[in-house]
Every structure is written in structure tokens, then in C-alpha cells.
Amino acid sequence: MTYSETVNSLYNLSDTELRSLNRKVCNLLKSRRLAASSAAAASGKFRVGDEVSFEGRGGYREYGKITKVKRIKVLVDTGDYRQWNVPMNMLRKES
């Protein structure tokens, strides 16, 4: 089944079937994000003091330094007295 066929078949589903499908898709996306974050944490990819960047809520790129590495997220100090709790899969190392 192609993508367009799948999308077209959604119109034949009832409200309860659509809600059930939505929950399954959301759970799948959440587990993939968690797996990506856990893999980054397990690999030891990020360490305190690393310079990193990430995309902020407004779509702008923030740059900062890691001050604490947690299990799934890291604390990034971007200066200006601001710290962000960022998932590891959203970070990119800067040289």
C-alpha cells in the first residue's frame, strides 16, 4: 500500500478508529524519540563542557555549552542567564 492509498483509506475510518490510530501513531513516535535519546546517552556522545546547538521553539538556532548530562536530556547554558533542558536527539555538536 502506498502513502497516498493509506491517506485516502483514512476517510473510511470511524471516529473511534481514527482516535485509536492516533494513539498508536503518537506512541510509536514517542518510543522512537526515546530510543534515539537513549542511544545518544548510551553512546556517551555528549559530555559536560561540549559546545552544542539546537533549534529553539521559534525555529531559531540556539548555541550553548552543556552543564549537566542527564539520562535522556542535557542542560545547556546559552548565556544571558538562560539554561535549557534539551533532549539529546535535538542537539548537534559544534566544533
Side-chain angles (χ1 to χ4, degrees):
M1 182 178 272
T2 65
Y3 175 78
S4 59
E5 291 172 341
T6 304
V7 170
N8 288 333
S9 67
L10 292 175
Y11 292 103
N12 299 326
L13 297 177
S14 69
D15 286 348
T16 55
E17 290 170 328
L18 284 171
R19 285 188 191 99
S20 174
L21 180 61
N22 182 44
R23 275 193 298 277
K24 289 177 183 178
V25 169
C26 289
N27 287 337
L28 177 63
L29 290 172
K30 184 177 180 180
S31 66
R32 284 186 179 179
R33 282 193 304 265
L34 182 62
S37 292
S38 297
S43 69
K45 187 176 177 181
F46 298 106
R47 299 194 189 314
V48 172
D50 285 350
E51 302 222 353
V52 295
S53 67
F54 62 95
E55 192 171 313
R57 288 189 182 134
Y60 53 89
R61 187 143 294 275
E62 289 275 357
Y63 297 89
K65 190 178 281 191
I66 294 177
T67 57
K68 184 176 183 178
V69 178
K70 302 177 188 177
R71 190 168 44 104
I72 295 175
K73 298 181 179 184
V74 298
L75 198 59
V76 179
D77 183 6
T78 58
D80 301 331
Y81 307 104
R82 296 177 72 176
Q83 291 189 342
W84 298 90
N85 201 21
V86 184
M88 287 185 196
N89 61 344
M90 288 181 62
L91 292 176
R92 185 174 71 192
K93 266 192 178 180
E94 299 293 328
S95 299

